[in-house]
Amino acid sequence: MSDPFADVDAASPEFIEIMATALEVRAADPSMLPVIDGYLDRLAPPDGGLIVDIGCGTGGVTRRIADRFGRANVLGVEPSAALTGKAWSLAGDYPNLKFQNGDGAALDLADGSADIAILHTVLSHVADPSPLVTEATRILRPGGTLVVCDADFSKAALGLAPGDPLDSCARAFVAGSVTDAWLAGKLKPLAQAAGLTVAHFDTAIRVVTDGIGNLVWVRMAAARFVTEGVIGQPLADALEAEYHRRAEAGTLYGFLPFVTMIAMKAER
């Protein structure tokens, strides 16, 4: 089953809109901000330095990086032309922020030109993450920093009981919208194979108990099932309504671990 995040522009306009909305919602969700700020707190880019956010999507996290490090230059690179356009439309007036449509495995940047490279929830959506890690390493200056933050989708949950239909949506989302749900345990060897030294590795749990932070799991799974003829639109609508009912009733419980790895390129 093809992961739509791996080739966004191949998806239907309706799916692209769902994905774009989901990326913006997640980047601003209060349950996600501690994960993002957790690694930003560990970074110290030099004045005038370059931070490259590879696979930046609509730029939600990229904008947060530009806001945090106002004296550094921030470049978001995104392979989807549709999402790059949305990133520019949402960019605001940050003087230190730019976006570029490009392949994360073949960046239009010189060797050693970046101080920090970030892969935020990217590698779980590619079949082979090695080229992206190798390319991120290439553009880093000696002593530069690579940050990888991704979800451990193998443990995603949205249920209250065995057979819960919303939990089935979570599992269907992972099966249809994630390329490697088991990426987390492979990150350290990926960094080491690229010649990097892992300086920090930790986990954080994103728990969603209100709002629409996990609604994308239901929407994307249900939309795919409707397209494939598995269910009808009334059931898709009912699943989304049930999500909102639980959010209002206080019984919503979404669970997803995140891992963050910070690795360093050797000094000269």
Side-chain angles (χ1 to χ4, degrees), residues 54 77-79 100-108 132 135:
I54 303 167
V77 181
E78 169 54 42
Q100 181 182 98
N101 182 214
D103 182 354
L107 296 167
D108 187 20
L132 278 82
E135 182 68 348

Side-chain angles (χ1 to χ4, degrees), residues 42-62:
R42 294 179 174 274
L43 303 179
D47 290 354
L50 176 62
I51 304 171
V52 183
D53 184 15
I54 303 167
C56 66
T58 55
V61 173
T62 326

Side-chain angles (χ1 to χ4, degrees), residues 75-86:
L75 173 64
V77 181
E78 169 54 42
S80 162
L83 294 187
T84 303
K86 287 190 176 291

Side-chain angles (χ1 to χ4, degrees), residues 158-159 163-171 217-218 238-240 242-243 246 252:
L158 192 57
D164 188 320
L166 291 195
D167 197 47
S168 295
C169 287
R171 295 176 186 277
W217 294 356
V218 177
L239 289 167
E240 183 165 340
E242 173 59 14
Y243 180 99
R246 292 188 192 184
L252 181 68

